[in-house]
Amino acid sequence: MERVADATGGDGTGEEMTDRQRTLAFVTVLIALVLEVADSTIVNTALPVIRQTLGASPAAMQWIVAGYLLVLGSLLLLGGRLGDAFGYRRMFLIGVAAFIATSMLCGMAHTPQQLVVARLLQGGAGAMMGPQVMAIVQILFTPLERVARLAWFGVIGGLAAIVGPIIGGLLIEANLLGLGWRLIFLINLPIGLLALWLGVRTIPHKDVGHRLRVDLAGAALFAIGFAGLLLALIDGAEHGWPAWTLLSAAVGLAAILSGWRRAVARRRDGLSAMIEPTLFRLRTFRWGLLAILTFAASAAGFLLVLAVTLQQGLGKSPLATALLHMPFGLGVMAGISLIGKRYLPRFGRWLLVSGATVMAIGGALALALLAQGIGGGVELIALLGLAGMGMGMIAGPLPPVVVADVDRAFAGTASATLRTAQQIGGALGIALIGSAFFAGASGEGAGRLSGLLPAGVVFVMLLLLSCVAALRLPGDIFGTRGGRER
């Protein structure tokens, strides 16, 4: 199987560390993962209160949520390359410190504009911190060991995403010290300080970077490109795809293409580039990335339609909606920890295909029940759990598959590219499935249920594309059948 050449002259592993030291370092990056994931969902519960207390306009409310995701997705690639150049440990600690500071700014905001700016800065901090999380795991563990470790990413990340809105509601209700909604941001301070303290003591110093020069012009091209594309996908569906969103997407795609050409030219001349073109020669990376993009699109679109249907179509409260997400979340965790982690080395790509099939069946049947006005009961809970289990069978295995053959010298870039594909996939799914849903809806309330059929069709089609990409992966992803481990 193809491999990217080692640019450092060494393997850069954490093999000299004891198992206990590696476990502590792993727990540290898990804490950072919780911070990043929870902050993308916990704010949803607080939006009505924020609007009331700060007098925020609908546009400001949208940017409080979307601004974080937009900057995060736009700068992930830069964050990954900075880790490759200056060291994953150093950039991780800088990112965590910046996340703490920007969370404090969010909690101290007194106007909608201040909160939007603070959320944009928080997304930038997350982009510096996020890519180092998987990169650190990659330098600490072998490809096969990462299957079990990255499965925990799916379990903890899924739990953080599901529990985040519930915790947000509880914190606002508690109103400790009269802080109200500000607690959802200020809670990051003690958690972030713990991650910072542990990071200083547990993450190995051996990761010192690779003496690369960061291509700032390339970084600007990719940042502009991803920002333009994400902005169009986030706002286009909601506003009926006005001309400016199409222009934004066109400019974004043009900038990404220019950035790619610049990267290829620089690598041909022996210079460092913002993205590593040789990664795309790897079959596991190339097809795994496409599988994760289409999978992320199906998952994000499904969860959007589920939340909107339960609240606006069936009249459920935000808390009742969050609680009904729990079977799905539990299914995700079961799919990752009980199935994906155990059977990926044996079944490889067929596990991914099976997971996509299970998710498509469970999700489509759940949407069919909702279309009949059934917003509860054993059948719906079971189908949501089934869809979640299928999602877990894909979400857990795909990240270690994507980086299975990536040299540790490019761990940061590979991780950032993967995370960027997830962000773009999520925005794409919201645009495609959301557009199908709202276009098919005949009005408010129960009328929205008519949009579930076209939304379900797009959902299943995206998962079929994920299956096609998964089938192009090697039959023996980790080389275990030949008795070797890379």
Side-chain angles (χ1 to χ4, degrees), residues 96-164:
V96 173
F99 203 87
I100 295 170
T102 53
S103 295
M104 186 166 62
L105 289 177
C106 290
M108 295 170 59
H110 290 286
T111 67
Q113 293 76 19
Q114 289 176 359
L115 183 54
V116 169
V117 171
R119 284 285 282 173
L120 294 174
L121 294 174
Q122 192 182 39
M128 298 302 107
M129 175 180 70
Q132 322 315 327
V133 170
M134 187 176 291
I136 289 169
V137 173
Q138 195 167 341
I139 66 170
L140 289 176
F141 303 102
T142 66
L144 203 52
E145 286 176 327
R146 290 177 211 143
V147 175
R149 300 311 188 281
L150 292 178
W152 279 103
F153 276 31
V155 172
I156 300 300
L159 186 63
I162 298 297
V163 175

Short mmCIF file of all heavy atoms in Angstrom, two decimals, residues 96-164:
data_model
loop_
_atom_site.label_atom_id
_atom_site.label_comp_id
_atom_site.label_asym_id
_atom_site.label_seq_id
_atom_site.Cartn_x
_atom_site.Cartn_y
_atom_site.Cartn_z
N VAL A 96 -5.50 25.97 23.36
CA VAL A 96 -6.31 25.85 24.58
C VAL A 96 -6.34 27.17 25.34
O VAL A 96 -7.40 27.62 25.80
CB VAL A 96 -5.78 24.71 25.48
CG1 VAL A 96 -6.51 24.71 26.81
CG2 VAL A 96 -5.95 23.36 24.80
N ALA A 97 -5.17 27.81 25.47
CA ALA A 97 -5.11 29.10 26.18
C ALA A 97 -5.97 30.15 25.47
O ALA A 97 -6.69 30.92 26.12
CB ALA A 97 -3.65 29.57 26.27
N ALA A 98 -5.91 30.17 24.14
CA ALA A 98 -6.72 31.12 23.38
C ALA A 98 -8.21 30.81 23.52
O ALA A 98 -9.04 31.72 23.60
CB ALA A 98 -6.32 31.10 21.90
N PHE A 99 -8.55 29.51 23.59
CA PHE A 99 -9.95 29.13 23.75
C PHE A 99 -10.48 29.59 25.11
O PHE A 99 -11.63 30.04 25.22
CB PHE A 99 -10.10 27.62 23.60
CG PHE A 99 -11.47 27.17 23.21
CD1 PHE A 99 -11.84 27.09 21.88
CD2 PHE A 99 -12.42 26.84 24.17
CE1 PHE A 99 -13.12 26.69 21.51
CE2 PHE A 99 -13.69 26.44 23.81
CZ PHE A 99 -14.04 26.36 22.47
N ILE A 100 -9.66 29.47 26.14
CA ILE A 100 -10.06 29.95 27.46
C ILE A 100 -10.32 31.45 27.43
O ILE A 100 -11.34 31.95 27.93
CB ILE A 100 -8.96 29.61 28.50
CG1 ILE A 100 -8.83 28.10 28.68
CG2 ILE A 100 -9.27 30.27 29.84
CD1 ILE A 100 -7.61 27.70 29.50
N ALA A 101 -9.38 32.20 26.82
CA ALA A 101 -9.50 33.66 26.78
C ALA A 101 -10.73 34.10 25.98
O ALA A 101 -11.47 35.00 26.41
CB ALA A 101 -8.23 34.26 26.17
N THR A 102 -10.97 33.47 24.83
CA THR A 102 -12.11 33.87 24.02
C THR A 102 -13.44 33.44 24.64
O THR A 102 -14.45 34.12 24.46
CB THR A 102 -11.98 33.30 22.59
OG1 THR A 102 -11.77 31.88 22.67
CG2 THR A 102 -10.82 33.93 21.86
N SER A 103 -13.44 32.33 25.38
CA SER A 103 -14.65 31.93 26.11
C SER A 103 -14.99 32.98 27.16
O SER A 103 -16.17 33.29 27.38
CB SER A 103 -14.45 30.57 26.77
OG SER A 103 -14.28 29.56 25.80
N MET A 104 -13.96 33.52 27.81
CA MET A 104 -14.19 34.57 28.81
C MET A 104 -14.76 35.83 28.14
O MET A 104 -15.66 36.48 28.68
CB MET A 104 -12.89 34.90 29.54
CG MET A 104 -13.07 35.88 30.69
SD MET A 104 -11.62 35.94 31.77
CE MET A 104 -10.37 36.51 30.62
N LEU A 105 -14.25 36.15 26.94
CA LEU A 105 -14.79 37.29 26.20
C LEU A 105 -16.26 37.08 25.86
O LEU A 105 -17.06 38.01 25.94
CB LEU A 105 -13.97 37.52 24.93
CG LEU A 105 -12.55 38.06 25.09
CD1 LEU A 105 -11.87 38.16 23.74
CD2 LEU A 105 -12.58 39.43 25.77
N CYS A 106 -16.61 35.85 25.46
CA CYS A 106 -18.02 35.54 25.17
C CYS A 106 -18.89 35.76 26.40
O CYS A 106 -19.97 36.36 26.33
CB CYS A 106 -18.16 34.09 24.70
SG CYS A 106 -17.47 33.74 23.06
N GLY A 107 -18.42 35.26 27.54
CA GLY A 107 -19.19 35.38 28.77
C GLY A 107 -19.31 36.81 29.28
O GLY A 107 -20.22 37.12 30.05
N MET A 108 -18.38 37.69 28.86
CA MET A 108 -18.38 39.09 29.32
C MET A 108 -19.06 40.04 28.34
O MET A 108 -19.14 41.24 28.59
CB MET A 108 -16.94 39.55 29.56
CG MET A 108 -16.23 38.82 30.69
SD MET A 108 -14.46 39.19 30.74
CE MET A 108 -14.48 40.97 30.98
N ALA A 109 -19.53 39.52 27.20
CA ALA A 109 -20.11 40.38 26.17
C ALA A 109 -21.36 41.09 26.68
O ALA A 109 -22.19 40.51 27.37
CB ALA A 109 -20.45 39.54 24.92
N HIS A 110 -21.50 42.37 26.31
CA HIS A 110 -22.66 43.16 26.74
C HIS A 110 -23.50 43.64 25.56
O HIS A 110 -24.55 44.26 25.77
CB HIS A 110 -22.20 44.38 27.56
CG HIS A 110 -21.66 44.01 28.90
ND1 HIS A 110 -22.46 43.60 29.95
CD2 HIS A 110 -20.38 43.95 29.36
CE1 HIS A 110 -21.71 43.32 31.01
NE2 HIS A 110 -20.45 43.52 30.67
N THR A 111 -23.05 43.36 24.36
CA THR A 111 -23.83 43.71 23.17
C THR A 111 -23.79 42.52 22.21
O THR A 111 -22.86 41.70 22.27
CB THR A 111 -23.27 44.95 22.45
OG1 THR A 111 -21.98 44.63 21.90
CG2 THR A 111 -23.14 46.13 23.41
N PRO A 112 -24.76 42.42 21.31
CA PRO A 112 -24.72 41.33 20.33
C PRO A 112 -23.46 41.36 19.47
O PRO A 112 -22.88 40.32 19.15
CB PRO A 112 -25.97 41.57 19.48
CG PRO A 112 -26.88 42.38 20.35
CD PRO A 112 -25.98 43.23 21.19
N GLN A 113 -23.00 42.57 19.14
CA GLN A 113 -21.82 42.70 18.30
C GLN A 113 -20.57 42.16 19.01
O GLN A 113 -19.74 41.48 18.41
CB GLN A 113 -21.60 44.17 17.91
CG GLN A 113 -22.65 44.75 16.98
CD GLN A 113 -23.96 45.08 17.70
OE1 GLN A 113 -23.99 45.21 18.94
NE2 GLN A 113 -25.04 45.22 16.94
N GLN A 114 -20.46 42.46 20.31
CA GLN A 114 -19.33 41.94 21.08
C GLN A 114 -19.35 40.42 21.13
O GLN A 114 -18.31 39.76 21.02
CB GLN A 114 -19.36 42.52 22.50
CG GLN A 114 -19.03 43.98 22.59
CD GLN A 114 -19.17 44.52 24.01
OE1 GLN A 114 -19.53 43.78 24.94
NE2 GLN A 114 -18.89 45.80 24.19
N LEU A 115 -20.54 39.85 21.30
CA LEU A 115 -20.64 38.39 21.38
C LEU A 115 -20.31 37.74 20.03
O LEU A 115 -19.63 36.71 19.99
CB LEU A 115 -22.05 37.99 21.83
CG LEU A 115 -22.28 36.48 22.03
CD1 LEU A 115 -21.25 35.88 22.98
CD2 LEU A 115 -23.70 36.23 22.55
N VAL A 116 -20.76 38.35 18.94
CA VAL A 116 -20.44 37.80 17.61
C VAL A 116 -18.93 37.82 17.38
O VAL A 116 -18.34 36.82 16.93
CB VAL A 116 -21.17 38.59 16.50
CG1 VAL A 116 -20.62 38.20 15.13
CG2 VAL A 116 -22.66 38.33 16.56
N VAL A 117 -18.27 38.94 17.69
CA VAL A 117 -16.82 39.04 17.51
C VAL A 117 -16.10 38.02 18.39
O VAL A 117 -15.15 37.34 17.95
CB VAL A 117 -16.32 40.47 17.82
CG1 VAL A 117 -14.80 40.52 17.86
CG2 VAL A 117 -16.85 41.45 16.79
N ALA A 118 -16.56 37.87 19.63
CA ALA A 118 -15.94 36.91 20.54
C ALA A 118 -16.10 35.48 20.02
O ALA A 118 -15.18 34.65 20.12
CB ALA A 118 -16.53 37.04 21.94
N ARG A 119 -17.26 35.18 19.43
CA ARG A 119 -17.48 33.84 18.88
C ARG A 119 -16.60 33.60 17.65
O ARG A 119 -16.12 32.48 17.43
CB ARG A 119 -18.96 33.68 18.51
CG ARG A 119 -19.85 33.46 19.69
CD ARG A 119 -19.72 32.07 20.26
NE ARG A 119 -20.45 31.09 19.45
CZ ARG A 119 -20.39 29.78 19.66
NH1 ARG A 119 -19.61 29.29 20.60
NH2 ARG A 119 -21.09 28.95 18.89
N LEU A 120 -16.38 34.63 16.83
CA LEU A 120 -15.47 34.50 15.70
C LEU A 120 -14.06 34.18 16.19
O LEU A 120 -13.39 33.29 15.65
CB LEU A 120 -15.47 35.78 14.86
CG LEU A 120 -16.78 36.15 14.14
CD1 LEU A 120 -16.65 37.52 13.49
CD2 LEU A 120 -17.14 35.10 13.10
N LEU A 121 -13.62 34.89 17.22
CA LEU A 121 -12.29 34.64 17.79
C LEU A 121 -12.22 33.25 18.42
O LEU A 121 -11.20 32.56 18.33
CB LEU A 121 -11.96 35.71 18.83
CG LEU A 121 -11.79 37.14 18.30
CD1 LEU A 121 -11.62 38.12 19.45
CD2 LEU A 121 -10.60 37.22 17.34
N GLN A 122 -13.32 32.83 19.04
CA GLN A 122 -13.36 31.50 19.64
C GLN A 122 -13.23 30.41 18.58
O GLN A 122 -12.57 29.39 18.78
CB GLN A 122 -14.67 31.33 20.42
CG GLN A 122 -14.68 30.11 21.33
CD GLN A 122 -16.02 29.97 22.05
OE1 GLN A 122 -17.08 30.21 21.47
NE2 GLN A 122 -15.98 29.58 23.30
N GLY A 123 -13.85 30.62 17.41
CA GLY A 123 -13.70 29.68 16.31
C GLY A 123 -12.26 29.60 15.84
O GLY A 123 -11.76 28.51 15.52
N GLY A 124 -11.56 30.75 15.80
CA GLY A 124 -10.15 30.75 15.44
C GLY A 124 -9.31 29.98 16.43
O GLY A 124 -8.39 29.24 16.05
N ALA A 125 -9.61 30.15 17.72
CA ALA A 125 -8.88 29.39 18.75
C ALA A 125 -9.13 27.89 18.60
O ALA A 125 -8.21 27.08 18.73
CB ALA A 125 -9.31 29.87 20.14
N GLY A 126 -10.38 27.53 18.31
CA GLY A 126 -10.70 26.12 18.09
C GLY A 126 -9.96 25.55 16.89
O GLY A 126 -9.55 24.38 16.90
N ALA A 127 -9.76 26.37 15.85
CA ALA A 127 -9.02 25.91 14.67
C ALA A 127 -7.55 25.68 14.96
O ALA A 127 -6.90 24.84 14.32
CB ALA A 127 -9.19 26.93 13.54
N MET A 128 -6.99 26.42 15.92
CA MET A 128 -5.60 26.18 16.32
C MET A 128 -5.48 24.94 17.21
O MET A 128 -4.51 24.20 17.13
CB MET A 128 -5.06 27.40 17.07
CG MET A 128 -5.00 28.68 16.26
SD MET A 128 -4.02 28.57 14.74
CE MET A 128 -5.33 28.56 13.49
N MET A 129 -6.47 24.72 18.03
CA MET A 129 -6.45 23.61 18.99
C MET A 129 -6.88 22.29 18.37
O MET A 129 -6.27 21.24 18.60
CB MET A 129 -7.38 23.97 20.16
CG MET A 129 -7.58 22.88 21.20
SD MET A 129 -8.69 23.43 22.53
CE MET A 129 -10.27 23.48 21.65
N GLY A 130 -7.95 22.32 17.56
CA GLY A 130 -8.59 21.10 17.08
C GLY A 130 -7.69 20.15 16.30
O GLY A 130 -7.65 18.95 16.60
N PRO A 131 -6.95 20.62 15.27
CA PRO A 131 -6.14 19.69 14.49
C PRO A 131 -5.05 18.99 15.30
O PRO A 131 -4.64 17.87 14.97
CB PRO A 131 -5.51 20.58 13.41
CG PRO A 131 -6.42 21.75 13.31
CD PRO A 131 -6.93 21.97 14.71
N GLN A 132 -4.58 19.64 16.36
CA GLN A 132 -3.51 19.04 17.15
C GLN A 132 -4.01 17.83 17.95
O GLN A 132 -3.23 16.96 18.32
CB GLN A 132 -2.90 20.06 18.11
CG GLN A 132 -2.75 21.48 17.60
CD GLN A 132 -2.20 21.61 16.19
OE1 GLN A 132 -1.38 20.81 15.76
NE2 GLN A 132 -2.65 22.63 15.47
N VAL A 133 -5.32 17.79 18.21
CA VAL A 133 -5.89 16.70 19.00
C VAL A 133 -5.64 15.36 18.33
O VAL A 133 -5.05 14.44 18.91
CB VAL A 133 -7.40 16.94 19.24
CG1 VAL A 133 -8.05 15.71 19.84
CG2 VAL A 133 -7.61 18.15 20.16
N MET A 134 -6.06 15.24 17.07
CA MET A 134 -5.85 13.98 16.36
C MET A 134 -4.38 13.77 16.02
O MET A 134 -3.89 12.63 16.00
CB MET A 134 -6.70 13.93 15.10
CG MET A 134 -6.66 12.57 14.41
SD MET A 134 -7.73 12.47 12.97
CE MET A 134 -9.33 12.53 13.79
N ALA A 135 -3.65 14.86 15.74
CA ALA A 135 -2.23 14.74 15.42
C ALA A 135 -1.45 14.16 16.60
O ALA A 135 -0.55 13.33 16.41
CB ALA A 135 -1.66 16.10 15.02
N ILE A 136 -1.79 14.57 17.80
CA ILE A 136 -1.11 14.06 18.99
C ILE A 136 -1.40 12.57 19.16
O ILE A 136 -0.51 11.78 19.49
CB ILE A 136 -1.52 14.86 20.24
CG1 ILE A 136 -0.91 16.27 20.17
CG2 ILE A 136 -1.08 14.16 21.52
CD1 ILE A 136 -1.45 17.24 21.20
N VAL A 137 -2.65 12.19 18.92
CA VAL A 137 -2.99 10.76 18.97
C VAL A 137 -2.20 9.99 17.92
O VAL A 137 -1.72 8.88 18.16
CB VAL A 137 -4.50 10.56 18.76
CG1 VAL A 137 -4.84 9.08 18.64
CG2 VAL A 137 -5.28 11.17 19.92
N GLN A 138 -2.01 10.61 16.76
CA GLN A 138 -1.30 9.93 15.68
C GLN A 138 0.17 9.70 16.02
O GLN A 138 0.76 8.69 15.62
CB GLN A 138 -1.43 10.74 14.39
CG GLN A 138 -1.04 9.95 13.14
CD GLN A 138 -1.46 10.67 11.88
OE1 GLN A 138 -2.33 11.55 11.92
NE2 GLN A 138 -0.87 10.31 10.75
N ILE A 139 0.80 10.63 16.75
CA ILE A 139 2.22 10.43 17.08
C ILE A 139 2.40 9.55 18.31
O ILE A 139 3.48 9.02 18.54
CB ILE A 139 2.95 11.77 17.29
CG1 ILE A 139 2.43 12.50 18.52
CG2 ILE A 139 2.86 12.64 16.05
CD1 ILE A 139 3.25 13.70 18.92
N LEU A 140 1.33 9.36 19.10
CA LEU A 140 1.43 8.54 20.31
C LEU A 140 1.15 7.06 20.04
O LEU A 140 1.66 6.20 20.75
CB LEU A 140 0.45 9.04 21.38
CG LEU A 140 0.77 10.37 22.06
CD1 LEU A 140 -0.36 10.75 23.01
CD2 LEU A 140 2.09 10.31 22.81
N PHE A 141 0.34 6.75 19.01
CA PHE A 141 -0.14 5.38 18.82
C PHE A 141 0.09 4.91 17.40
O PHE A 141 0.14 5.72 16.46
CB PHE A 141 -1.63 5.30 19.17
CG PHE A 141 -1.96 5.74 20.57
CD1 PHE A 141 -2.50 6.99 20.80
CD2 PHE A 141 -1.71 4.92 21.65
CE1 PHE A 141 -2.80 7.42 22.09
CE2 PHE A 141 -2.02 5.32 22.94
CZ PHE A 141 -2.56 6.57 23.16
N THR A 142 0.17 3.61 17.23
CA THR A 142 0.29 3.00 15.90
C THR A 142 -1.07 3.03 15.20
O THR A 142 -2.10 3.25 15.85
CB THR A 142 0.76 1.54 16.02
OG1 THR A 142 -0.28 0.78 16.67
CG2 THR A 142 2.04 1.42 16.81
N PRO A 143 -1.10 2.80 13.86
CA PRO A 143 -2.38 2.86 13.15
C PRO A 143 -3.46 1.97 13.75
O PRO A 143 -4.61 2.40 13.86
CB PRO A 143 -2.00 2.41 11.73
CG PRO A 143 -0.59 2.85 11.58
CD PRO A 143 0.03 2.66 12.93
N LEU A 144 -3.13 0.74 14.13
CA LEU A 144 -4.14 -0.15 14.66
C LEU A 144 -4.56 0.25 16.07
O LEU A 144 -5.73 0.11 16.45
CB LEU A 144 -3.63 -1.59 14.66
CG LEU A 144 -4.70 -2.69 14.64
CD1 LEU A 144 -5.70 -2.46 13.52
CD2 LEU A 144 -4.05 -4.06 14.50
N GLU A 145 -3.61 0.79 16.86
CA GLU A 145 -3.96 1.26 18.20
C GLU A 145 -4.91 2.45 18.13
O GLU A 145 -5.74 2.66 19.01
CB GLU A 145 -2.69 1.68 18.96
CG GLU A 145 -1.83 0.53 19.43
CD GLU A 145 -0.54 1.01 20.08
OE1 GLU A 145 -0.01 2.06 19.66
OE2 GLU A 145 -0.05 0.33 21.00
N ARG A 146 -4.80 3.23 17.05
CA ARG A 146 -5.65 4.42 16.93
C ARG A 146 -7.12 4.07 16.78
O ARG A 146 -7.99 4.88 17.10
CB ARG A 146 -5.22 5.25 15.71
CG ARG A 146 -3.89 5.93 15.85
CD ARG A 146 -3.53 6.65 14.57
NE ARG A 146 -2.08 6.66 14.39
CZ ARG A 146 -1.48 6.54 13.22
NH1 ARG A 146 -2.19 6.40 12.12
NH2 ARG A 146 -0.17 6.56 13.15
N VAL A 147 -7.41 2.87 16.27
CA VAL A 147 -8.81 2.48 16.09
C VAL A 147 -9.55 2.56 17.41
O VAL A 147 -10.63 3.14 17.52
CB VAL A 147 -8.90 1.06 15.49
CG1 VAL A 147 -10.35 0.61 15.42
CG2 VAL A 147 -8.26 1.03 14.11
N ALA A 148 -8.95 1.97 18.47
CA ALA A 148 -9.59 1.99 19.78
C ALA A 148 -9.58 3.39 20.37
O ALA A 148 -10.57 3.84 20.96
CB ALA A 148 -8.88 1.02 20.72
N ARG A 149 -8.46 4.11 20.21
CA ARG A 149 -8.36 5.45 20.82
C ARG A 149 -9.32 6.43 20.15
O ARG A 149 -10.02 7.19 20.82
CB ARG A 149 -6.92 5.98 20.72
CG ARG A 149 -5.86 5.15 21.40
CD ARG A 149 -6.22 4.77 22.82
NE ARG A 149 -5.15 4.14 23.54
CZ ARG A 149 -4.77 2.87 23.43
NH1 ARG A 149 -5.39 2.08 22.56
NH2 ARG A 149 -3.79 2.38 24.16
N LEU A 150 -9.34 6.41 18.82
CA LEU A 150 -10.22 7.35 18.11
C LEU A 150 -11.68 6.98 18.25
O LEU A 150 -12.57 7.81 18.04
CB LEU A 150 -9.81 7.43 16.64
CG LEU A 150 -8.45 8.09 16.38
CD1 LEU A 150 -8.12 8.09 14.90
CD2 LEU A 150 -8.42 9.51 16.93
N ALA A 151 -11.95 5.72 18.61
CA ALA A 151 -13.34 5.35 18.91
C ALA A 151 -13.85 6.16 20.10
O ALA A 151 -15.02 6.56 20.14
CB ALA A 151 -13.43 3.86 19.21
N TRP A 152 -12.97 6.40 21.06
CA TRP A 152 -13.35 7.24 22.20
C TRP A 152 -13.67 8.66 21.76
O TRP A 152 -14.51 9.33 22.36
CB TRP A 152 -12.23 7.25 23.24
CG TRP A 152 -12.25 6.04 24.11
CD1 TRP A 152 -11.44 4.96 24.03
CD2 TRP A 152 -13.15 5.79 25.19
NE1 TRP A 152 -11.77 4.04 24.99
CE2 TRP A 152 -12.81 4.52 25.72
CE3 TRP A 152 -14.20 6.49 25.75
CZ2 TRP A 152 -13.50 3.96 26.79
CZ3 TRP A 152 -14.88 5.94 26.82
CH2 TRP A 152 -14.53 4.69 27.32
N PHE A 153 -13.01 9.14 20.69
CA PHE A 153 -13.34 10.46 20.17
C PHE A 153 -14.81 10.51 19.76
O PHE A 153 -15.52 11.47 20.04
CB PHE A 153 -12.47 10.77 18.94
CG PHE A 153 -11.13 11.32 19.28
CD1 PHE A 153 -10.48 10.96 20.45
CD2 PHE A 153 -10.49 12.19 18.43
CE1 PHE A 153 -9.24 11.46 20.76
CE2 PHE A 153 -9.24 12.71 18.73
CZ PHE A 153 -8.61 12.34 19.90
N GLY A 154 -15.25 9.45 19.07
CA GLY A 154 -16.64 9.40 18.65
C GLY A 154 -17.60 9.33 19.81
O GLY A 154 -18.63 10.00 19.84
N VAL A 155 -17.26 8.50 20.82
CA VAL A 155 -18.13 8.35 21.99
C VAL A 155 -18.24 9.66 22.76
O VAL A 155 -19.34 10.17 23.03
CB VAL A 155 -17.61 7.22 22.91
CG1 VAL A 155 -18.40 7.20 24.22
CG2 VAL A 155 -17.69 5.87 22.22
N ILE A 156 -17.08 10.22 23.11
CA ILE A 156 -17.07 11.45 23.91
C ILE A 156 -17.60 12.63 23.10
O ILE A 156 -18.37 13.46 23.60
CB ILE A 156 -15.64 11.75 24.42
CG1 ILE A 156 -15.13 10.59 25.29
CG2 ILE A 156 -15.62 13.05 25.21
CD1 ILE A 156 -15.97 10.31 26.50
N GLY A 157 -17.19 12.72 21.81
CA GLY A 157 -17.68 13.81 20.97
C GLY A 157 -19.18 13.74 20.77
O GLY A 157 -19.88 14.76 20.85
N GLY A 158 -19.70 12.53 20.52
CA GLY A 158 -21.14 12.36 20.36
C GLY A 158 -21.89 12.70 21.64
O GLY A 158 -22.94 13.35 21.61
N LEU A 159 -21.34 12.27 22.77
CA LEU A 159 -21.97 12.56 24.05
C LEU A 159 -21.97 14.07 24.32
O LEU A 159 -22.97 14.63 24.78
CB LEU A 159 -21.23 11.83 25.17
CG LEU A 159 -21.84 11.90 26.57
CD1 LEU A 159 -23.21 11.26 26.58
CD2 LEU A 159 -20.93 11.22 27.60
N ALA A 160 -20.85 14.74 24.00
CA ALA A 160 -20.76 16.18 24.21
C ALA A 160 -21.77 16.93 23.35
O ALA A 160 -22.40 17.89 23.80
CB ALA A 160 -19.35 16.67 23.90
N ALA A 161 -21.94 16.47 22.10
CA ALA A 161 -22.89 17.13 21.19
C ALA A 161 -24.32 16.95 21.67
O ALA A 161 -25.14 17.87 21.58
CB ALA A 161 -22.72 16.58 19.78
N ILE A 162 -24.65 15.75 22.17
CA ILE A 162 -26.02 15.48 22.61
C ILE A 162 -26.31 16.12 23.95
O ILE A 162 -27.37 16.74 24.17
CB ILE A 162 -26.25 13.95 22.70
CG1 ILE A 162 -26.09 13.31 21.32
CG2 ILE A 162 -27.62 13.65 23.28
CD1 ILE A 162 -27.08 13.76 20.29
N VAL A 163 -25.36 16.00 24.88
CA VAL A 163 -25.58 16.50 26.24
C VAL A 163 -25.41 18.02 26.32
O VAL A 163 -25.97 18.67 27.21
CB VAL A 163 -24.63 15.79 27.23
CG1 VAL A 163 -24.76 16.37 28.64
CG2 VAL A 163 -24.94 14.30 27.26
N GLY A 164 -24.66 18.59 25.35
CA GLY A 164 -24.39 20.03 25.38
C GLY A 164 -25.63 20.89 25.54
O GLY A 164 -25.72 21.72 26.47
#
